[in-house]
């Protein structure tokens, strides 16, 4: 189920990944930044079995939001 959050939760998502890694699915990938003048700064992501980076592909949103709510209301 897709949830619309009233605000972007980027920093909270990173914290959530560290606290509850079981709620997140990631895949290895490589990430490069284009330096060509036509597309400078463009991020290029490619799946790779032995990639050194992790691409977030899924989040258990309901549990994640419930955990965040519980922590923030303590």
């Amino acid at each position: 189920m897709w949830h619309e959050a009233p605000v972007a939760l980027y920093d909270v998502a990173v914290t959530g990944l560290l606290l509850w890694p079981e709620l997140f699915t990631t895949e290895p990938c490589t990430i490069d930044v284009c330096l060509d003048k036509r597309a400078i700064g463009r991020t290029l992501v490619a799946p790779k079995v032995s990639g050194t980076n992790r691409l977030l592909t899924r989040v258990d949103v309901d549990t994640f939001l419930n955990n965040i709510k519980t922590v923030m209301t303590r």
Side-chain angles (χ1 to χ4, degrees), residues 51-69:
T52 56
N53 301 292
R54 305 297 298 181
L55 177 65
L56 179 63
T57 57
R58 190 189 74 73
V59 178
D60 179 345
V61 176
D62 292 329
T63 304
F64 172 73
L65 291 176
N66 284 335
N67 287 358
I68 292 299
K69 182 179 176 184

Side-chain angles (χ1 to χ4, degrees), residues 2-74:
W2 176 257
H3 295 273
E4 276 298 320
V7 295
L9 300 174
Y10 303 117
D11 293 340
V12 176
V14 173
T15 303
L17 176 63
L18 295 171
L19 291 173
W20 312 294
E22 68 280 1
L23 302 180
F24 297 80
T25 302
T26 62
E27 295 178 8
C29 68
T30 59
I31 300 174
D32 294 305
V33 177
C34 185
L35 300 177
D36 183 284
K37 289 181 182 179
R38 292 172 290 164
I40 194 162
R42 180 178 175 194
T43 304
L44 307 170
V45 178
K48 191 169 186 180
V49 173
S50 61
T52 56
N53 301 292
R54 305 297 298 181
L55 177 65
L56 179 63
T57 57
R58 190 189 74 73
V59 178
D60 179 345
V61 176
D62 292 329
T63 304
F64 172 73
L65 291 176
N66 284 335
N67 287 358
I68 292 299
K69 182 179 176 184
T70 299
V71 167
M72 293 182 77
T73 56
R74 285 187 187 162

